[in-house]
Amino acid sequence: MAKEQRGLGKGLSALLGDTADLSQLRKPVGYVNKEVVGTKESQGTADILRIPIDMIEPNPFQPRMTFDQEALEELASSIRTLGLIQPITVRRKDSGKYQIISGERRYRACRLAGMDMIPAYIRDTNDQGMLEMAIVENIQRQDLDPIEIAMSYERLIEECDLTQEQMADRVGKKRASVTNYLRLLKLPAKVQHDLKVGILSVGHAKVILGVEDPAIQESLCDEVIKERLSVRQLEEKVRALNNPSKPAKEVKQQELPDEYYKVLEHIGKFFENNISLKRTSSGKGTMTIRFDSDEEVKKFLAALEESKL
């Protein structure tokens, strides 16, 4: 028996709230701080450069021959509003022009959007080891945003023909961490944009991925920014969305002793207050800490060792 598809339902607005217009916060990502191709002698394969659109040629060996025009128009509209979130990849030709390796759909949408420059990775060597080294070196930079990290992981997998496990070994990360970053690229462009410019955290994005509908993902993103929701509050909203037929049980909130609040206050400041504590009447309980990066744990450990708690 086919599973009945759930609609958004009348309760969606009650769960998400009436989101305000956040367009003022979302400026197009134009990579305006990146070099324009040809302005310097040495151009790396790991960083992003801007290329005049007339210097880019489609790949004649592109296996995809047809592109949905309506979908291209939608992508072009998104690019006009948010910029191109994921740069294309090109290779340098003897003629001085650049040929698309991956991203022809994005290239076509950029033309429709009227862009005169396109952000791109330039791959100018067939030496797989050199390319891999350049991308790994780029990942080690401290100033990369979550989407740049995810795109670098994707490049290692696609262009260097690595599995996720092999790639995780190359960059010194756990496979689960790599998988979580790659999942960010499945989010709608608007959500990726907010991650990129820092108005949405990776912790929030992971929770948003718990909902499959892109429209609801965007609404949740708006709600997080508008209401400054914590990760825990967002989890509760997603839980309610995923289980609309199960009304939340009325749970009597037990008052915690003062010392418990002190624990929450002192430890919570190291993890942006993403900490919860449950206690039974007998005094047994659990404390849960959610962290967004290794750096948060390191700062907490340093504070413990220096007895700053």
Side-chain angles (χ1 to χ4, degrees), residues 37-283:
V37 69
T39 58
K40 59 179 184 178
E41 292 183 5
S42 177
Q43 293 159 350
T45 61
D47 205 0
I48 300 167
L49 297 175
R50 292 183 295 145
I51 305 178
I53 198 164
D54 293 336
M55 293 181 65
I56 300 174
E57 298 176 347
N59 190 334
F61 304 106
Q62 161 67 253
R64 188 177 183 181
M65 302 303 294
T66 58
F67 294 83
D68 184 276
Q69 190 61 32
E70 185 177 350
L72 279 177
E73 291 285 358
E74 289 178 359
L75 180 55
S77 177
S78 172
I79 289 171
R80 290 187 195 101
T81 303
L82 305 174
L84 183 64
I85 305 298
Q86 298 184 36
I88 66 174
T89 300
V90 299
R91 60 184 166 213
R92 188 182 289 107
K93 296 184 66 180
D94 293 338
S95 63
K97 291 197 172 185
Y98 295 83
Q99 189 176 83
I100 296 172
I101 295 176
S102 64
E104 184 160 337
R105 179 172 172 270
R106 281 166 278 162
Y107 160 76
R108 292 183 181 221
C110 285
R111 293 196 76 97
L112 280 176
M115 292 179 65
D116 57 353
M117 291 275 187
I118 296 184
Y121 295 109
I122 299 177
R123 180 173 175 180
D124 57 1
T125 176
N126 291 323
D127 188 333
Q128 201 79 353
M130 290 294 291
L131 175 64
E132 184 179 320
M133 187 185 305
I135 298 175
V136 171
E137 182 180 359
N138 189 53
I139 292 173
Q140 307 305 323
R141 286 166 46 191
Q142 298 297 313
D143 59 346
L144 294 183
D145 61 64
I147 296 301
E148 286 178 317
I149 294 173
M151 289 189 301
S152 295
Y153 288 167
E154 188 176 59
R155 287 191 72 201
L156 273 174
I157 289 173
E158 293 183 355
E159 296 182 44
C160 299
D161 196 26
L162 300 178
T163 64
Q164 284 194 24
E165 189 169 355
Q166 290 171 329
M167 201 242 331
D169 288 338
R170 297 289 198 282
V171 298
K173 300 289 184 181
K174 292 183 178 179
R175 181 175 177 178
S177 175
V178 167
T179 300
N180 283 332
Y181 269 103
L182 289 171
R183 290 177 67 218
L184 299 179
L185 298 179
K186 297 180 180 180
L187 288 165
K190 185 169 76 172
V191 183
Q192 289 190 40
H193 172 277
D194 294 351
L195 264 172
K196 189 169 187 63
V197 299
I199 58 178
L200 185 75
S201 76
V202 173
H204 288 99
K206 289 178 183 177
V207 178
I208 290 174
L209 280 163
V211 177
E212 294 184 359
D213 191 307
I216 300 181
Q217 289 177 334
E218 291 184 355
S219 295
L220 286 168
C221 178
D222 288 347
E223 185 74 358
V224 167
I225 298 167
K226 177 189 171 187
E227 301 295 337
R228 298 184 179 181
L229 299 179
S230 68
V231 172
R232 181 173 176 78
Q233 289 171 320
L234 180 60
E235 286 175 338
E236 291 172 355
K237 283 185 174 289
V238 169
R239 195 176 298 115
L241 285 169
N242 289 333
N243 299 281
S245 60
K246 297 180 181 178
K249 294 181 179 179
E250 191 69 27
V251 179
K252 185 177 180 181
Q253 186 69 32
Q254 179 134 4
E255 188 67 23
L256 296 173
D258 289 342
E259 55 266 26
Y260 284 67
Y261 289 109
K262 290 181 181 179
V263 170
L264 292 173
E265 179 183 354
H266 286 298
I267 298 179
K269 64 185 178 182
F270 292 94
F271 302 99
E272 296 185 359
N273 292 320
N274 289 330
I275 177 174
S276 62
L277 195 153
K278 294 181 180 179
R279 173 186 177 274
T280 65
S281 57
S282 64

